[in-house]
């Protein structure tokens, strides 16, 4: 009995290994299509695509099918059926209408051609969040804000006799979307996670790299068991709580876009840091890495847990900003002022200015009224305005 099973599984392993090696995109597309309702498995296979040099293209309302489709040996097109909140019947209706009457030209064209009792507002919003309308309109913020209007206009047109006048082919592109500023990268990634279950176009950790690079030097993928503690950072991707004889513990999976590790928090540390442990939040952990006998990988036994602002307020000595003769001093004041006045329990940080032009160079530490709270938005704003290399936090 055991030998027959071993032989059968060995044959399947050989066959699937051959398919993955020689027909990677077809194999991975089929694997994702077979498990479309399991977001965790789709995420794992998405990571596997990167490892195997296969590009997973975003969903496209005019090109995607229900399932994942291999376009060639290096590209897969995302399946509409794997978008959360879409529903089988809704996607089938969208695909049937597209097949019969051609591509969708705009959001208002899309809502006017479909039965909105089946393709409801939630479905349309999920499609927008996922990026399925990007080739029609790249501003997802405007699209999402316009969904209610598009649904309302479509319902109104179907209740009136002048439907063609409102949604004629010559008028459809002329209908204006609600004007909104495009999402910042962080917002877009969070919206993608709502629709797809994971960050698709990038990783949320990249948003923080500029801020933490001066004190976090080790990537999660490079962690190895050792006696000395590590200081690491990552985005919380999942949290599991387990009761033990010593009280409740937490197993937190953190992710930095290149690797993941499970961090174990004992009862006392969990009680102290409970408010910090939230999905999609950056946390900084000090702890020791050991081999996880259960999974065979590594795990981290946490000693301390910080959020970014707490860590910076405890460890930062100076915020140093380097400026040259072309720098905009009024812009600098505008950026600093809100974080001088910010009411917070965290210790504020001194600001040091280095200024130079063709005639000379000067360094000065601003007065205490210009001490700032090291909020992530301040550091991002300074980095964008004055260049990453000119904004540094000096730590103890």
């Amino acid at each position: 009995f055991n030998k027959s099973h071993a032989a059968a599984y060995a044959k399947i392993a050989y066959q699937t290994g051959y398919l993955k090696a020689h027909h990677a995109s077809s194999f991975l597309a089929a694997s994702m299509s077979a498990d479309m309702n399991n977001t965790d498995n789709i995420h794992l296979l998405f990571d596997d695509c990167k490892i195997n040099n296969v590009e997973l293209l975003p969903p496209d309302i005019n090109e995607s099918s229900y399932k994942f489709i291999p376009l060639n040996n290096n590209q897969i097109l995302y399946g509409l059926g794997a978008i959360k909140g879409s529903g089988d019947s809704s996607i089938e209706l969208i695909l049937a209408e597209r097949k019969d009457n051609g591509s969708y030209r705009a959001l208002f064209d899309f809502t006017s051609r479909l039965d909105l009792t089946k393709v409801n507002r939630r479905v349309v919003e999920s499609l927008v969040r996922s990026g399925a309308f990007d080739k029609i309109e790249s501003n997802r913020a405007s699209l999402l804000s316009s969904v209610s209007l598009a649904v309302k206009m479509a319902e109104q047109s179907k209740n009136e006799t002048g439907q063609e006048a409102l949604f004629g082919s010559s008028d459809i592109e002329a209908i204006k979307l609600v004007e909104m500023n495009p999402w910042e990268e962080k917002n877009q990634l969070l919206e993608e996670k709502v629709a797809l279950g994971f960050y698709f176009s990038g990783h949320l950790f990249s948003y923080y790299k500029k801020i933490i690079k001066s004190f976090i030097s080790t990537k999660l993928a490079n962690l190895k068991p050792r006696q000395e503690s590590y200081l690491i950072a990552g985005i919380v991707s999942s949290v599991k709580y387990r009761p033990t004889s010593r009280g409740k513990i937490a197993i937190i999976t953190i992710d930095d876009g290149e690797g993941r590790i499970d961090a174990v928090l004992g009862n006392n540390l969990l009680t102290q840091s409970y408010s910090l442990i939230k999905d999609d939040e950056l946390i900084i952990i000090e702890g020791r890495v050991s081999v996880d006998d259960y999974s065979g990988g590594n795990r981290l036994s946490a000693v301390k847990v910080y959020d970014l602002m707490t860590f910076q307020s405890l460890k930062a000595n100076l915020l140093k900003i380097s400026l040259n003769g072309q720098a905009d001093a009024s812009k600098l004041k505008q950026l600093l002022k809100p974080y001088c006045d910010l009411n917070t329990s965290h210790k504020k940080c001194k600001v040091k200015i280095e200024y130079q032009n063709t005639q000379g160079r000067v360094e000065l530490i601003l007065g205490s009224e210009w001490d700032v709270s090291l909020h992530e938005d301040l550091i991002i704003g300074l980095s964008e305005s004055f260049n990453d290399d000119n904004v540094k936090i000096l730590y103890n």
Side-chain angles (χ1 to χ4, degrees):
F1 178 81
N2 58 336
K3 289 182 180 179
S4 65
H5 276 66
Y9 284 126
K11 182 180 179 180
I12 292 171
Y14 178 84
Q15 289 171 331
T16 53
Y18 179 90
L19 289 171
K20 187 173 181 181
H22 296 281
H23 306 280
S25 63
S26 297
F27 176 82
L28 290 165
S31 299
M32 286 187 279
S33 296
D35 215 3
M36 296 182 76
N37 295 322
N38 190 326
T39 300
D40 289 341
N41 283 354
I42 296 292
H43 191 186
L44 287 172
L45 290 164
F46 171 65
D47 291 341
D48 208 13
C49 286
K50 296 178 183 177
I51 295 170
N52 289 276
N53 297 316
V54 174
E55 182 183 10
L56 182 57
L57 300 175
D60 185 333
I61 199 65
N62 284 323
E63 298 293 337
S64 291
S65 296
Y66 181 84
K67 295 183 177 181
F68 292 81
I69 298 175
L71 301 180
N72 50 55
N73 204 40
N74 301 109
Q75 290 182 315
I76 298 171
L77 185 58
Y78 209 100
L80 296 179
I83 297 173
K84 296 172 72 173
S86 55
D88 295 356
S89 60
S90 298
I91 300 303
E92 289 172 1
L93 186 63
I94 290 168
L95 295 175
E97 168 62 27
R98 189 181 76 192
K99 181 180 179 181
D100 293 340
N101 297 304
S103 298
Y104 300 105
R105 304 187 306 280
L107 176 64
F108 296 98
D109 178 45
F110 179 83
T111 54
S112 70
R113 288 165 55 180
L114 296 166
D115 182 350
L116 296 179
T117 61
K118 295 180 180 178
V119 183
N120 58 32
R121 183 175 306 175
R122 182 186 173 195
V123 174
V124 183
E125 288 175 345
S126 291
L127 291 167
V128 170
R129 287 188 172 101
S130 73
F133 284 93
D134 280 4
K135 288 188 178 178
I136 295 174
E137 169 55 60
S138 60
N139 189 337
R140 297 185 197 177
S142 285
L143 282 168
L144 191 63
S145 297
S146 302
V147 170
S148 294
L149 176 62
V151 169
K152 181 180 179 180
M153 292 181 69
E155 289 174 342
Q156 181 181 349
S157 70
K158 291 170 185 177
N159 292 328
E160 295 177 355
T161 55
Q163 180 173 349
E164 288 301 320
L166 181 58
F167 285 108
S169 58
S170 61
D171 300 328
I172 203 71
E173 284 86 0
I175 301 174
K176 299 288 186 182
L177 294 171
V178 176
E179 291 188 10
M180 298 287 292
N181 292 326
W183 286 329
E184 295 180 354
E185 180 187 9
K186 182 179 180 181
N187 291 346
Q188 178 165 312
L189 290 171
L190 290 171
E191 295 289 356
E192 285 177 356
K193 188 176 181 183
V194 172
L196 303 176
F198 57 94
Y199 314 124
F200 183 82
S201 59
H203 197 281
L204 195 57
F205 188 78
S206 62
Y207 176 80
Y208 297 99
K209 279 185 178 179
K210 299 174 184 177
I211 303 174
I212 67 172
K213 63 182 180 181
S214 57
F215 59 87
I216 298 292
S217 58
T218 306
K219 298 177 181 178
L220 298 184
N222 296 335
L223 293 175
K224 298 185 184 301
R226 70 179 193 186
Q227 290 298 315
E228 297 84 6
S229 291
Y230 283 98
L231 186 67
I232 60 171
I235 303 295
V236 176
S237 60
S238 71
V239 184
K240 297 175 184 175
Y241 298 101
R242 290 183 182 170
T244 71
S245 59
R246 298 182 180 180
K248 186 165 67 172
I249 66 169
I251 301 174
I252 306 169
T253 303
I254 60 172
D255 187 337
D256 66 358
E258 297 183 39
R260 298 188 189 104
I261 193 169
D262 289 338
V264 181
L265 277 64
N267 181 259
N268 291 337
L269 183 57
L270 176 60
T271 302
Q272 297 168 18
S273 53
Y274 195 84
S275 62
L276 307 180
I277 304 168
K278 301 173 185 175
D279 282 348
D280 304 315
E281 291 293 326
L282 178 85
I283 59 173
I284 298 161
I285 301 179
E286 184 180 338
R288 193 166 65 185
V289 174
S290 60
V291 175
D292 186 345
D293 294 329
Y294 179 76
S295 67
N298 293 330
R299 76 170 184 174
L300 180 77
S301 297
V303 177
K304 294 181 181 178
V305 178
Y306 310 91
D307 63 5
L308 178 61
M309 198 164 172
T310 299
F311 183 88
Q312 289 181 320
S313 66
L314 288 173
K315 307 293 185 180
N317 187 35
L318 276 175
L319 171 60
K320 186 176 76 171
I321 306 168
S322 300
L323 305 175
N324 57 36
Q326 285 74 47
D328 186 344
S330 61
K331 178 66 174 178
L332 176 61
K333 291 173 65 176
Q334 180 185 344
L335 288 167
L336 292 177
K337 190 60 178 171
Y339 302 95
C340 300
D341 302 332
L342 192 65
N343 289 323
T344 175
S345 59
H346 296 106
K347 184 185 73 174
K348 291 188 176 181
C349 183
K350 289 286 183 185
V351 178
K352 179 180 181 180
I353 303 295
E354 291 184 346
Y355 180 85
Q356 64 179 21
N357 58 22
T358 55
Q359 296 177 312
R361 180 174 179 274
V362 66
E363 296 183 2
L364 67 149
I365 295 179
L366 301 184
S368 57
E369 69 272 20
W370 288 98
D371 292 357
V372 293
S373 297
L374 293 175
H375 194 281
E376 63 187 63
D377 290 344
L378 169 63
I379 308 305
I380 295 295
L382 290 170
S383 297
E384 290 176 348
S385 298
F386 301 108
N387 196 302
D388 291 347
D389 295 333
N390 293 328
V391 181
K392 294 180 180 178
I393 301 173
L394 306 181
Y395 292 91
N396 300 329

